[in-house]
Amino acid sequence: MTTAVDNFADLGLSESLLKTLADLGYETPSPIQAQCIPILRDGHDIIGMAQTGTGKTAAFALPLMETIDIGLVKPQALILTPTRELAIQVAEALQSYAKNLPGFHVLPIYGGQSYTIQLKQLARGAHVIVGTPGRVMDHLERQTLNLDRLKTLVLDEADEMLRMGFIDDVEWILEHTPEQHQTALFSATMPEPIRRVAQKYLVDPKEVRIKTATATVAAIRQVYWQVSGLHKLDALTRILEVEDDFDAAIIFVRTKTATVELADKLNARGYAAAALNGDLNQQMRERVIEQLKSGALDIVIATDVAARGIDVPRISHVVNFDIPYDTEAYVHRIGRTGRAGRTGNAILFVAPREVRMLRTIERATRQPIAPLTLPSRADVTNRRVAAFKEKVGAVLDAEGLDFFANIVSQIAEERDVGAEEIAAALAMMAQEGKPLQIPGEDPAPRSPFSDDRRPPRFGERDSRPRDERDSRPRDERGQRPRFEGHGDQPRFESRGERPRFDDKPRRPPTGGDMVRYRIDVGRDHGVQVKDIVGAIANEAGIESRFIGRIGLYDESSTVELPAGMPPEAANALKRTRVRGVPINLRPDEGRPDSGERKFKKKPFADR
Ligand code: AMP
């Protein structure tokens, strides 16, 4: 990776933040951080062209935290995000960076959450507000949110806000914030309306973009697995177990902490694995690489910096356990395999929010990356049974079984059992702690109602049974992961997917019954189809692809949603507003109002 700055200390961050970053296991700034942090520290406005996975959150959050006056419990920074999931995620990131900043308070506010709770939290005060545009606008209008002391305003994922129909709200907010503040706008793409907003509201902004290095990586088989349903660690071990030509692997993660944790986990599962990170001195580093070469180790878990220049021909697999920050890092990582004329395999784990980064990588390497279907439990079991049979076969072919055959005869006589049963008992003994079968079931397909096991919203008490509170996927033994220090653990897994309109036109709802609902907003309210899709996707946690046809009439509209909507989602939708008008969602009784015209919803690209 060619990050010009290798060190957070060189970016002018305070000692306290540097300590926090070290505690979190952050080794080096990502390219977007290396570029943005000094600019923001110098007080400039900024346009950052970056997407999820590049480390953009820390790029704006770290300099922003340095400006906060803890003694003043008033909103000094406002971060606008397109969805509540992102609002929560960003708020959590800030909270983690505030580890050594006692008294720091960040508050996420978003649609769908009870006003009573929000009003209480706002009255209690916060230094940073992270919110979705509609709800922030609401609170500004009600004067329950005061931005008089605002120093920094961040528009995160501006293009997503545009796609979801929030751009007017964003502009309204920009109009109603005090003039004197620093503004940072982050967007993966720069469509014209976003450019226009930037021109109108940012003062002499510096523009920063991640460069996309193109490179050919011919001899390498590239596949990706979209993280869902199973913990990454379990997915990893399943994949490694069934990969045909597995010899040795480098697994890339983001933090130093994660290298050590993952190495421990893999060792516990019987792999010969070790961590390789910037904390190791040159001698220790060389030792790890030597062991990988000699076969004493099969897996090395590394950060980008630590893995620089590794040349070990037996590396058959590179696993991007955490997605790289940019294409350059990707190309560099996968270049560790396929060496000395051998073919290599590159496996990329992609969280739902990181799909855009996957596409960027495909474009940069000019190669499609094929989706990988996770081996099923049966696949893994078959593999293990085949390996077991092979092992038994090898022993059967060997000399010196007579002594043991004699013992088996004795047991058969003494216990009056057949040789088959004794063999089964011995097989069980041999496999103790190394089960051939994976208990449990393969993950079920996801529900369209991504919110139906809703985690607590920030600041809310969680009333669900203890076991349901943890939304992280269970592992193969039915356990929740114990470490969560790094990267893209899908903590809010069931809600991690945000509605996406960009990748491709939305598919029609995938099977299942649909129910038609009526809502009290229509063309007379200036409402467009995208406003309705955005509001429903966001407030009820229904992925946009599951939203069916929308009929837009003068005073009302109809929308088809999958049957079996949980009451919580239905309630959230009753209270939802579009363009300030409560939609009052209810099952459609059938008769359209007079004079109404009906439109078939078009894919976003046509709208
Ligand atoms: P983002 O692109 O902001 O969504 O960040 C993606 C992930 O990368 C988050 O889980 C961060 O905690 C992690 N991350 C961001 N910057 C760094 C860094 N410099 N070193 C290690 N991890 C990082």
Side-chain angles (χ1 to χ4, degrees), residues 172-455:
W172 188 95
I173 294 166
L174 285 162
E175 295 283 352
H176 289 79
T177 36
E179 269 194 10
Q180 285 301 321
H181 65 252
Q182 184 179 30
T183 312
L185 183 153
F186 284 85
S187 198
T189 56
M190 268 303 149
E192 187 42 40
I194 299 296
R195 250 290 141 236
R196 197 177 45 76
V197 166
Q199 267 160 12
K200 192 162 166 198
Y201 298 97
L202 273 62
V203 181
D204 194 17
K206 307 257 180 240
E207 206 164 314
V208 163
R209 64 173 71 213
I210 297 280
K211 59 174 196 280
T212 310
T214 43
T216 11
V217 279
I220 300 171
R221 162 185 158 248
Q222 296 178 71
V223 291
Y224 76 90
W225 174 61
Q226 175 144 358
V227 179
S228 71
L230 204 65
H231 189 263
K232 280 189 192 180
L233 174 65
D234 294 312
L236 172 71
T237 51
R238 272 199 199 188
I239 293 168
L240 293 184
E241 272 196 66
V242 303
E243 282 289 297
D244 276 329
D245 45 0
F246 181 81
D247 191 1
I250 291 208
I251 298 175
F252 283 96
V253 293
R254 291 208 157 164
T255 60
K256 288 189 267 196
T257 335
T259 60
V260 176
E261 284 167 340
L262 195 52
D264 287 350
K265 295 264 171 189
L266 287 171
N267 277 316
R269 291 185 181 208
Y271 290 94
L276 189 70
N277 63 44
D279 283 349
L280 303 190
N281 63 30
Q282 188 57 22
Q283 199 188 351
M284 287 151 88
R285 184 176 179 275
E286 275 165 17
R287 196 174 128 79
V288 169
I289 294 169
E290 236 3 271
Q291 285 178 321
L292 188 64
K293 268 190 187 147
S294 71
L297 284 175
D298 290 328
I299 299 180
V300 163
I301 302 98
T303 52
D304 286 296
V305 179
R308 269 179 200 166
I310 289 185
D311 185 4
V312 178
R314 73 178 273 260
I315 295 174
S316 57
H317 286 71
V318 164
V319 181
N320 291 280
F321 196 80
D322 291 336
I323 202 162
Y325 298 118
D326 58 10
T327 55
E328 199 173 346
Y330 177 80
V331 171
H332 186 268
R333 284 178 178 191
I334 71 170
R336 302 306 100 211
T337 183
R339 297 183 87 82
R342 304 181 197 205
T343 44
N345 300 276
I347 299 168
L348 174 63
F349 285 2
V350 182
R353 299 191 68 250
E354 295 162 347
V355 171
R356 199 193 278 269
M357 179 64 100
L358 164 71
R359 302 292 167 227
T360 309
I361 292 171
E362 281 184 316
R363 271 197 303 276
T365 55
R366 299 198 195 93
Q367 272 188 31
I369 302 181
L372 176 79
T373 312
L374 210 58
S376 67
R377 288 165 53 245
D379 293 338
V380 176
T381 300
N382 291 343
R383 236 357 133 102
R384 289 180 187 175
V385 169
F388 178 69
K389 283 181 182 167
E390 209 167 288
K391 234 162 84 185
V392 174
V395 180
L396 281 174
D397 292 342
E399 309 262 301
L401 279 181
D402 295 353
F403 174 76
F404 292 100
N406 191 20
I407 297 177
V408 171
S409 302
Q410 285 174 27
I411 298 173
E413 210 163 289
E414 285 162 17
R415 306 200 55 116
D416 194 20
V417 288
E420 208 166 279
E421 277 165 282
I422 298 169
L426 292 172
M428 201 165 162
M429 266 167 66
Q431 291 307 118
E432 211 178 349
K434 290 176 281 172
L436 294 177
Q437 279 177 300
I438 303 175
E441 286 169 21
D442 283 320
R446 273 165 306 145
S447 149
F449 299 103
S450 51
D451 204 20
D452 56 4
R453 278 264 186 273
R454 186 168 74 78

Side-chain angles (χ1 to χ4, degrees), residues 8 26 28-30 33 51-57 254-255 325 487:
F8 278 107
Y26 284 23
T28 41
S30 74
Q33 290 162 2
Q51 59 213 26
T52 301
T54 52
K56 70 176 160 60
T57 315
R254 291 208 157 164
T255 60
Y325 298 118

